[in-house]
Amino acid sequence: MLYSLLMSISKLQIQRVRNISSINIEPSPAINIICGENGSGKTSILESINILGLTRSFRTNKAHHVVQNDQLASVVFGFIDPMMQGLKQSLGVERPAEGEARIRFEGSDIGLSTLAELIPLQVINSDTFQLLEGSPAIRRQFLDWGVFHADKAFIQLWRGFRRVLKQRNTLLKCGKIDNQLRQVWDSEFIAFSDQLTRLRKEYLSLLKPEFDSVISQLLEGTKIELGFSYGWDKKRQLDEVLASNFERDLRQGFTGNGPQRADLRLKVDGHNAAERLSRGQKKLVVSALKLAQGVLFQRMNSRPCIYLIDDLPSELDQIHGELFCKVLEQSSNQCFITCVDDSALKTYWSPQTEIATFRIAEGSLC
Ligand SMILES: Nc1ncnc2c1ncn2[C@@H]1O[C@H](COP(=O)(O)OP(=O)(O)OP(=O)(O)O)[C@@H](O)[C@H]1O
Ligand SMILES: [Mg+2]
């Protein structure tokens, strides 16, 4: 793999993020290992990269927790090469403790959706278990990340669908709906639902073989089936479902069926994977989902994702830790990996892999 052609973040400056006052890093385009004791600031580095890519933390929605005590704003700056053209383009995000983030790309202010396209991030941390154990909303978010990056039409469609759903629910809450009005809303609801579901289905059919390939490398001999539930009984047309459930929807004051209820189903030997797999197996399955998404993203966009992997070795034995690293080094993703102790982790890579190791103590590199 010619990593120099695939450089993503080539310089990283972090200021006033949690216990980090100021850190400058020149990351490897391939594997970056960040190690240090508990509370030293490892996750805060990953959190800073997340701020650079999305303006927000993956740990909290409240910016004032991220901004260093007694400071007004965190700032994360980087040189990035979003289109893999061998460029170093400047990107800076200022995240104030209160108020909106400011994003500057090559000297101009840009919006959040432009930013999300510049740095496609994938996070693997203890929250990633929620992909198996959490609510369907988390799996829909995962699915829709992929559809967003796969199809330009998705975002408009998704916004349109949310608008119609909200209006339909408002009418249901009012309790009285004129039949004609209901038909108008339902036909719009169905049109959006069909298109949204078609995009999700198409994306999933592309994701499945990638997932099968990654999981077969990480968990040999365990067959995980990945299924898709539309949010209504797929043997029936949505108009029929809406009509037969209308009285119930009216009583409840919301729409009980539709893409807002879609879900991914993960099964092992026909059983719910969340109920059957061990902790380590779960980590491998949710990581495989994220890694498969990266493989597909790269195939569709000719550029890799950036992976933030918090505490890679946790839950994994040596064999599976090593397998995980093998999958990472075979990809061309830029990875930022944290661990408390890198002594085992550093032996998992092949000599050709470009590895940069950063040791952190009390918020500073050492
Ligand atoms: N707003 C803040 N201002 C200053 N320090 C903070 C702030 N928020 C958290 N901290 C401290 O910053 C440090 C950041 O910890 P971080 O979670 O990055 O550590 P870590 O190296 O990932 O540790 P672990 O191995 O336990 O996961 C902690 O010591 C925490 O107490
Ligand atoms: Mg941590």
Side-chain angles (χ1 to χ4, degrees):
M1 185 60 59
L2 286 171
Y3 278 113
S4 51
L5 293 178
L6 294 169
M7 177 68 82
S8 210
I9 299 177
S10 54
K11 185 183 172 75
L12 184 66
Q13 286 181 355
I14 302 168
Q15 288 173 344
R16 303 184 293 278
V17 176
R18 297 202 187 259
N19 67 339
I20 301 173
S21 298
S22 179
I23 274 187
N24 288 342
I25 288 176
E26 294 211 359
S28 154
I31 305 295
N32 294 278
I33 297 175
I34 301 153
C35 54
E37 291 175 356
N38 293 140
S40 56
K42 303 180 297 294
T43 305
S44 304
I45 293 182
L46 303 191
E47 204 174 18
S48 304
I49 300 170
N50 206 79
I51 291 172
L52 188 67
L54 288 165
T55 75
R56 61 176 180 330
S57 161
F58 49 70
R59 286 201 272 197
T60 175
N61 293 325
K62 297 186 179 108
H64 70 270
H65 289 307
V66 178
V67 176
Q68 192 163 49
N69 293 339
D70 306 321
Q71 299 291 335
L72 294 175
S74 301
V75 176
V76 186
F77 173 86
F79 282 135
I80 62 167
D81 186 12
M83 292 305 146
M84 300 296 150
Q85 297 160 314
L87 300 174
K88 288 187 177 187
Q89 298 185 296
S90 65
L91 174 66
V93 174
E94 185 184 36
R95 175 80 263 180
E98 303 293 337
E100 296 295 302
R102 184 165 179 220
I103 316 163
R104 302 275 293 170
F105 179 56
E106 289 287 87
S108 303
D109 287 333
I110 59 163
L112 189 55
S113 54
T114 311
L115 179 67
E117 284 182 43
L118 288 179
I119 303 193
L121 286 177
Q122 292 279 359
V123 178
I124 299 177
N125 61 8
S126 54
D127 289 341
T128 313
F129 284 95
Q130 292 294 314
L131 263 181
L132 276 177
E133 296 168 345
S135 70
I138 290 163
R139 288 179 287 280
R140 277 196 299 277
Q141 206 178 21
F142 165 81
L143 185 59
D144 288 346
W145 183 96
V147 189
F148 167 80
H149 285 286
D151 199 311
K152 293 264 174 280
F154 172 76
I155 190 74
Q156 285 302 93
L157 209 54
W158 191 82
R159 285 186 186 138
F161 172 74
R162 300 296 308 172
R163 178 178 49 80
V164 176
L165 175 65
K166 206 170 148 198
Q167 274 155 343
R168 192 177 191 273
N169 286 346
T170 306
L171 286 176
L172 287 168
K173 274 196 194 84
C174 290
K176 263 193 192 165
I177 303 186
D178 171 83
N179 230 1
Q180 251 182 337
L181 191 62
R182 177 184 142 196
Q183 275 171 11
V184 173
W185 282 119
D186 280 5
S187 65
E188 258 212 83
F189 183 85
I190 290 162
F192 275 119
S193 299
D194 285 344
Q195 289 184 72
L196 202 56
T197 304
R198 182 177 52 78
L199 291 190
R200 283 173 169 169
K201 240 166 66 180
E202 281 170 10
Y203 178 75
L204 206 61
S205 69
L206 297 172
L207 185 70
K208 263 186 193 169
E210 305 297 356
F211 172 73
D212 288 346
S213 157
V214 179
I215 200 68
S216 69
Q217 295 170 67
L218 291 178
L219 256 183
E220 214 186 320
T222 310
K223 178 94 185 85
I224 310 283
E225 300 136 54
L226 191 55
F228 177 45
S229 141
Y230 292 5
W232 70 92
D233 178 357
K234 60 176 93 167
K235 287 187 224 96
R236 295 169 72 197
Q237 293 295 320
L238 186 55
D239 56 352
E240 194 193 318
V241 174
L242 288 182
S244 62
N245 288 327
F246 182 69
E247 291 303 323
R248 201 184 63 191
D249 283 358
L250 204 56
R251 273 198 308 279
Q252 292 179 336
F254 63 86
T255 309
N257 288 275
Q260 75 282 10
R261 286 292 178 92
D263 199 0
L264 284 179
R265 295 272 151 85
L266 284 117
K267 293 199 166 168
V268 54
D269 301 327
H271 300 283
N272 182 354
E275 305 283 353
R276 289 279 167 141
L277 296 176
S278 74
R279 192 79 181 151
Q281 288 171 330
K282 281 183 188 173
K283 175 159 177 163
L284 295 168
V285 169
V286 295
S287 301
L289 282 171
K290 296 260 176 160
L291 291 165
Q293 225 174 23
V295 175
L296 187 53
F297 177 88
Q298 174 149 23
R299 229 179 62 203
M300 290 174 151
N301 299 280
S302 308
R303 61 195 181 112
C305 289
I306 293 176
Y307 277 80
L308 309 178
I309 306 174
D310 205 12
D311 206 354
L312 186 146
S314 70
E315 327 281 355
L316 301 180
D317 58 36
Q318 192 200 325
I319 292 171
H320 290 98
E322 214 165 330
L323 287 171
F324 197 146
C325 293
K326 287 274 167 294
V327 172
L328 291 178
E329 69 183 349
Q330 281 159 18
S331 75
S332 45
N333 304 311
Q334 187 177 34
C335 302
F336 293 84
I337 298 166
T338 71
C339 58
V340 173
D341 175 9
D342 70 327
S343 52
L345 193 65
K346 70 182 175 198
T347 65
Y348 293 170
W349 313 92
S350 70
Q352 299 91 305
T353 302
E354 278 186 56
I355 299 175
T357 303
F358 304 96
R359 289 179 201 287
I360 182 165
E362 295 179 14
S364 301
L365 295 180
C366 46

